Amino acid sequence: MKPIALNMLASLGRDPIVGGSKLPISGMGGISTWSDAAEFLLLGASSLQVCTAVMHYGFRMVEDLCDGLSNWMDEKGFRTISDVVGRSLHRVSDFNDFDLSFRALARIDQTKCIRCNLCYVACNDTAHQCIDLIAKDGQAVQPYSYDVRANGREEAVTSRPSVQVREEDCVGCRLCYNVCPVEDCIHMVEEPSGRSPVTWGQLSESQPEVTEDWEKMKKYREEMGIKIH
Protein backbone atom coordinates (compact mmCIF):
# COMPACT_ATOMS: atom_id res chain seq x y z
CA MET A 1 0.00 0.00 0.00
CA LYS A 2 2.71 2.51 0.94
CA PRO A 3 4.36 2.84 -2.51
CA ILE A 4 0.93 3.47 -4.06
CA ALA A 5 0.05 6.03 -1.39
CA LEU A 6 3.38 7.83 -1.81
CA ASN A 7 2.94 7.93 -5.58
CA MET A 8 -0.54 9.44 -5.24
CA LEU A 9 0.73 11.92 -2.67
CA ALA A 10 3.59 13.02 -4.91
CA SER A 11 1.16 13.42 -7.81
CA LEU A 12 -0.94 15.78 -5.72
CA GLY A 13 2.09 17.71 -4.55
CA ARG A 14 3.38 18.18 -8.11
CA ASP A 15 -0.01 19.08 -9.54
CA PRO A 16 0.07 22.80 -10.44
CA ILE A 17 -3.44 23.39 -9.07
CA VAL A 18 -3.40 21.25 -5.91
CA GLY A 19 0.28 21.71 -5.09
CA GLY A 20 0.22 25.33 -6.11
CA SER A 21 -2.75 26.07 -3.86
CA LYS A 22 -0.70 25.15 -0.77
CA LEU A 23 -3.79 23.48 0.69
CA PRO A 24 -2.91 21.03 3.48
CA ILE A 25 -2.68 17.38 2.43
CA SER A 26 -3.08 14.56 4.96
CA GLY A 27 -1.00 11.49 4.15
CA MET A 28 -2.00 7.93 4.97
CA GLY A 29 -1.46 4.36 3.81
CA GLY A 30 1.27 2.19 5.30
CA ILE A 31 2.69 4.49 7.99
CA SER A 32 4.08 2.55 10.95
CA THR A 33 7.55 3.99 11.70
CA TRP A 34 9.18 7.40 11.91
CA SER A 35 10.93 6.82 8.58
CA ASP A 36 7.55 6.13 6.95
CA ALA A 37 6.30 9.40 8.43
CA ALA A 38 9.34 11.27 7.11
CA GLU A 39 8.75 9.94 3.59
CA PHE A 40 5.14 11.16 3.57
CA LEU A 41 6.14 14.58 4.90
CA LEU A 42 8.93 14.94 2.36
CA LEU A 43 6.48 14.23 -0.46
CA GLY A 44 4.03 16.92 0.57
CA ALA A 45 1.87 15.71 3.46
CA SER A 46 1.45 18.29 6.23
CA SER A 47 -0.37 15.89 8.55
CA LEU A 48 -0.38 12.11 8.90
CA GLN A 49 -2.96 9.43 9.65
CA VAL A 50 -2.14 6.05 11.18
CA CYS A 51 -4.65 3.21 11.48
CA THR A 52 -3.41 -0.36 10.94
CA ALA A 53 -0.15 0.13 12.86
CA VAL A 54 -2.08 1.39 15.89
CA MET A 55 -4.42 -1.59 15.64
CA HIS A 56 -1.40 -3.87 15.55
CA TYR A 57 0.89 -2.23 18.13
CA GLY A 58 -1.37 0.08 20.17
CA PHE A 59 -1.19 3.85 20.62
CA ARG A 60 2.26 3.64 22.23
CA MET A 61 3.75 3.22 18.74
CA VAL A 62 2.88 6.88 18.09
CA GLU A 63 5.33 7.90 20.83
CA ASP A 64 8.13 5.96 19.15
CA LEU A 65 7.15 7.46 15.78
CA CYS A 66 7.28 11.00 17.16
CA ASP A 67 10.57 10.45 19.01
CA GLY A 68 12.23 8.95 15.94
CA LEU A 69 10.93 11.70 13.67
CA SER A 70 12.11 14.37 16.11
CA ASN A 71 15.60 12.86 16.31
CA TRP A 72 15.80 12.66 12.52
CA MET A 73 14.72 16.29 12.15
CA ASP A 74 17.37 17.39 14.66
CA GLU A 75 20.00 15.43 12.78
CA LYS A 76 19.00 17.02 9.45
CA GLY A 77 18.62 20.53 10.87
CA PHE A 78 14.84 20.85 10.44
CA ARG A 79 13.19 23.05 13.07
CA THR A 80 9.52 22.55 12.25
CA ILE A 81 7.32 20.12 10.30
CA SER A 82 6.71 22.81 7.69
CA ASP A 83 10.46 22.80 6.99
CA VAL A 84 10.14 19.16 5.90
CA VAL A 85 6.88 19.22 3.93
CA GLY A 86 7.45 18.74 0.19
CA ARG A 87 11.25 18.97 0.36
CA SER A 88 11.71 15.89 -1.86
CA LEU A 89 9.03 16.56 -4.47
CA HIS A 90 11.63 17.83 -6.92
CA ARG A 91 13.40 14.47 -6.68
CA VAL A 92 10.40 12.54 -8.01
CA SER A 93 10.62 11.85 -11.73
CA ASP A 94 8.18 10.56 -14.31
CA PHE A 95 8.32 6.98 -15.60
CA ASN A 96 9.17 8.35 -19.04
CA ASP A 97 12.49 9.52 -17.58
CA PHE A 98 13.36 6.16 -16.01
CA ASP A 99 16.50 4.56 -17.43
CA LEU A 100 15.37 1.17 -18.76
CA SER A 101 18.95 -0.11 -18.62
CA PHE A 102 19.07 0.35 -14.84
CA ARG A 103 19.58 -2.92 -12.95
CA ALA A 104 19.43 -3.52 -9.23
CA LEU A 105 19.33 -6.77 -7.29
CA ALA A 106 18.97 -7.94 -3.72
CA ARG A 107 21.84 -9.38 -1.69
CA ILE A 108 21.38 -11.03 1.69
CA ASP A 109 23.94 -10.75 4.49
CA GLN A 110 24.03 -14.31 5.80
CA THR A 111 25.73 -13.22 9.03
CA LYS A 112 22.66 -11.16 9.95
CA CYS A 113 19.95 -13.43 8.57
CA ILE A 114 17.76 -15.03 11.27
CA ARG A 115 16.19 -17.58 8.87
CA CYS A 116 12.67 -16.24 9.32
CA ASN A 117 12.10 -16.92 5.59
CA LEU A 118 9.82 -13.89 5.16
CA CYS A 119 11.81 -12.85 2.09
CA TYR A 120 11.45 -16.34 0.58
CA VAL A 121 7.69 -16.41 1.14
CA ALA A 122 7.18 -12.89 -0.26
CA CYS A 123 9.33 -13.54 -3.32
CA ASN A 124 7.94 -17.01 -4.00
CA ASP A 125 4.27 -16.15 -3.54
CA THR A 126 3.98 -12.62 -4.91
CA ALA A 127 7.14 -11.66 -6.81
CA HIS A 128 9.68 -13.36 -9.08
CA GLN A 129 10.46 -16.69 -7.37
CA CYS A 130 14.18 -15.88 -7.34
CA ILE A 131 15.03 -16.72 -3.71
CA ASP A 132 16.00 -20.30 -2.96
CA LEU A 133 16.26 -22.26 0.28
CA ILE A 134 19.76 -23.77 0.28
CA ALA A 135 20.66 -26.64 2.59
CA LYS A 136 24.13 -27.14 4.05
CA ASP A 137 25.05 -29.51 1.23
CA GLY A 138 24.42 -26.70 -1.27
CA GLN A 139 21.21 -28.18 -2.67
CA ALA A 140 17.98 -26.24 -3.04
CA VAL A 141 15.23 -27.65 -0.84
CA GLN A 142 11.51 -27.14 -0.56
CA PRO A 143 9.71 -25.51 2.38
CA TYR A 144 8.74 -27.84 5.19
CA SER A 145 11.58 -30.21 4.31
CA TYR A 146 13.26 -29.08 7.53
CA ASP A 147 12.16 -28.68 11.14
CA VAL A 148 10.01 -25.54 11.10
CA ARG A 149 9.70 -25.71 14.89
CA ALA A 150 13.20 -24.28 15.31
CA ASN A 151 12.77 -21.42 17.79
CA GLY A 152 15.22 -18.60 18.33
CA ARG A 153 17.92 -17.27 16.05
CA GLU A 154 20.70 -19.66 17.10
CA GLU A 155 18.59 -22.76 16.63
CA ALA A 156 17.07 -21.50 13.39
CA VAL A 157 20.45 -20.58 11.89
CA THR A 158 21.93 -23.98 12.69
CA SER A 159 18.95 -26.08 11.55
CA ARG A 160 17.25 -24.20 8.72
CA PRO A 161 18.55 -23.74 5.17
CA SER A 162 19.88 -20.36 4.14
CA VAL A 163 18.01 -18.02 1.81
CA GLN A 164 19.94 -17.09 -1.32
CA VAL A 165 18.99 -14.79 -4.17
CA ARG A 166 19.27 -16.21 -7.68
CA GLU A 167 20.68 -13.00 -9.05
CA GLU A 168 20.13 -13.70 -12.74
CA ASP A 169 16.37 -13.75 -12.10
CA CYS A 170 16.17 -10.87 -9.61
CA VAL A 171 14.48 -7.72 -10.98
CA GLY A 172 15.19 -5.51 -7.97
CA CYS A 173 11.57 -5.10 -6.87
CA ARG A 174 12.68 -4.57 -3.20
CA LEU A 175 9.86 -6.71 -1.80
CA CYS A 176 12.31 -8.88 0.16
CA TYR A 177 14.02 -5.72 1.43
CA ASN A 178 10.69 -4.32 2.60
CA VAL A 179 9.58 -7.41 4.55
CA CYS A 180 12.94 -8.23 6.17
CA PRO A 181 12.75 -7.55 9.94
CA VAL A 182 16.54 -7.27 10.37
CA GLU A 183 18.14 -3.92 9.67
CA ASP A 184 20.83 -3.98 6.97
CA CYS A 185 20.37 -7.70 6.34
CA ILE A 186 19.21 -7.22 2.75
CA HIS A 187 20.84 -4.64 0.52
CA MET A 188 19.69 -3.44 -2.89
CA VAL A 189 22.80 -3.28 -5.06
CA GLU A 190 23.07 -1.52 -8.42
CA GLU A 191 24.76 -3.65 -11.07
CA PRO A 192 25.77 -2.77 -14.66
CA SER A 193 23.27 -4.18 -17.14
CA GLY A 194 25.59 -4.09 -20.14
CA ARG A 195 23.01 -2.09 -22.11
CA SER A 196 23.19 1.50 -23.28
CA PRO A 197 21.08 3.92 -21.24
CA VAL A 198 17.67 4.68 -22.72
CA THR A 199 14.49 6.05 -21.17
CA TRP A 200 10.94 5.02 -22.00
CA GLY A 201 10.38 8.49 -23.40
CA GLN A 202 13.38 8.20 -25.70
CA LEU A 203 12.32 4.73 -26.80
CA SER A 204 8.76 5.92 -27.48
CA GLU A 205 10.13 8.71 -29.65
CA SER A 206 12.78 6.75 -31.55
CA GLN A 207 10.95 3.40 -31.88
CA PRO A 208 7.24 4.02 -31.21
CA GLU A 209 6.31 0.62 -32.64
CA VAL A 210 8.21 -1.06 -29.80
CA THR A 211 6.14 0.71 -27.16
CA GLU A 212 2.84 0.18 -28.96
CA ASP A 213 3.04 -3.40 -30.26
CA TRP A 214 3.51 -6.29 -27.83
CA GLU A 215 5.15 -8.64 -30.34
CA LYS A 216 7.63 -5.95 -31.38
CA MET A 217 8.33 -5.26 -27.71
CA LYS A 218 9.16 -8.94 -27.16
CA LYS A 219 11.45 -8.89 -30.20
CA TYR A 220 13.17 -5.77 -28.87
CA ARG A 221 13.73 -7.46 -25.49
CA GLU A 222 15.27 -10.48 -27.21
CA GLU A 223 17.59 -8.31 -29.28
CA MET A 224 18.67 -6.30 -26.24
CA GLY A 225 19.04 -9.35 -23.99
CA ILE A 226 16.33 -8.20 -21.61
CA LYS A 227 15.02 -11.18 -19.68
CA ILE A 228 11.73 -10.89 -17.80
CA HIS A 229 11.34 -13.80 -15.42
Side-chain angles (χ1 to χ4, degrees):
M1 179 185 290
K2 192 178 83 167
I4 298 173
L6 288 173
N7 179 65
M8 297 175 68
L9 175 63
S11 296
L12 288 174
R14 290 184 296 161
D15 182 84
I17 296 178
V18 178
S21 70
K22 303 300 181 182
L23 287 172
I25 301 174
S26 190
M28 64 178 293
I31 300 174
S32 60
T33 67
W34 70 263
S35 59
D36 297 330
E39 290 176 4
F40 275 80
L41 293 171
L42 287 167
L43 290 183
S46 54
S47 65
L48 306 174
Q49 300 181 46
V50 182
C51 179
T52 305
V54 170
M55 296 168 68
H56 192 82
Y57 300 108
F59 282 116
R60 287 295 298 274
M61 61 81 57
V62 179
E63 297 179 12
D64 293 335
L65 187 153
C66 291
D67 288 343
L69 186 60
S70 179
N71 292 335
W72 173 78
M73 290 176 62
D74 290 341
E75 180 183 327
K76 298 296 183 181
F78 296 125
R79 292 176 53 254
T80 66
I81 290 294
S82 60
D83 293 335
V84 183
V85 175
R87 287 292 291 266
S88 290
L89 278 173
H90 70 284
R91 300 177 182 272
V92 180
S93 60
D94 190 86
F95 177 75
N96 278 340
D97 300 322
F98 181 68
D99 183 2
L100 299 179
S101 69
F102 176 83
R103 181 171 185 257
L105 51 87
R107 287 199 177 134
I108 301 172
D109 186 341
Q110 298 297 335
T111 64
K112 295 182 178 180
C113 180
I114 60 174
R115 306 293 195 268
C116 66
N117 293 344
L118 288 177
C119 62
Y120 171 82
V121 173
C123 185
N124 188 66
D125 290 356
T126 60
H128 289 269
Q129 297 84 47
C130 65
I131 295 181
D132 297 320
L133 297 173
I134 305 298
K136 291 183 178 180
D137 61 2
Q139 298 298 313
V141 296
Q142 296 299 312
Y144 304 115
S145 60
Y146 54 89
D147 188 357
V148 296
R149 295 172 297 175
N151 186 27
R153 181 180 188 277
E154 195 61 36
E155 184 180 356
V157 168
T158 55
S159 64
R160 293 185 177 183
S162 62
V163 282
Q164 294 184 17
V165 177
R166 204 165 57 254
E167 295 188 356
E168 63 271 20
D169 290 328
C170 180
V171 299
C173 72
R174 290 172 61 98
L175 184 56
C176 60
Y177 173 91
N178 288 334
V179 301
C180 181
V182 181
E183 187 174 0
D184 294 328
C185 180
I186 299 180
H187 295 269
M188 301 306 301
V189 181
E190 184 177 346
E191 287 283 309
S193 66
R195 301 190 299 272
S196 300
V198 62
T199 67
W200 183 262
Q202 292 170 332
L203 186 62
S204 298
E205 184 175 344
S206 62
Q207 302 183 61
E209 68 279 2
V210 171
T211 62
E212 296 171 0
D213 186 286
W214 181 248
E215 292 302 321
K216 291 180 179 179
M217 167 59 78
K218 290 198 294 184
K219 183 178 179 182
Y220 173 82
R221 291 206 312 261
E222 292 173 0
E223 292 174 349
M224 299 301 294
I226 302 174
K227 178 184 177 184
I228 298 181
H229 176 64

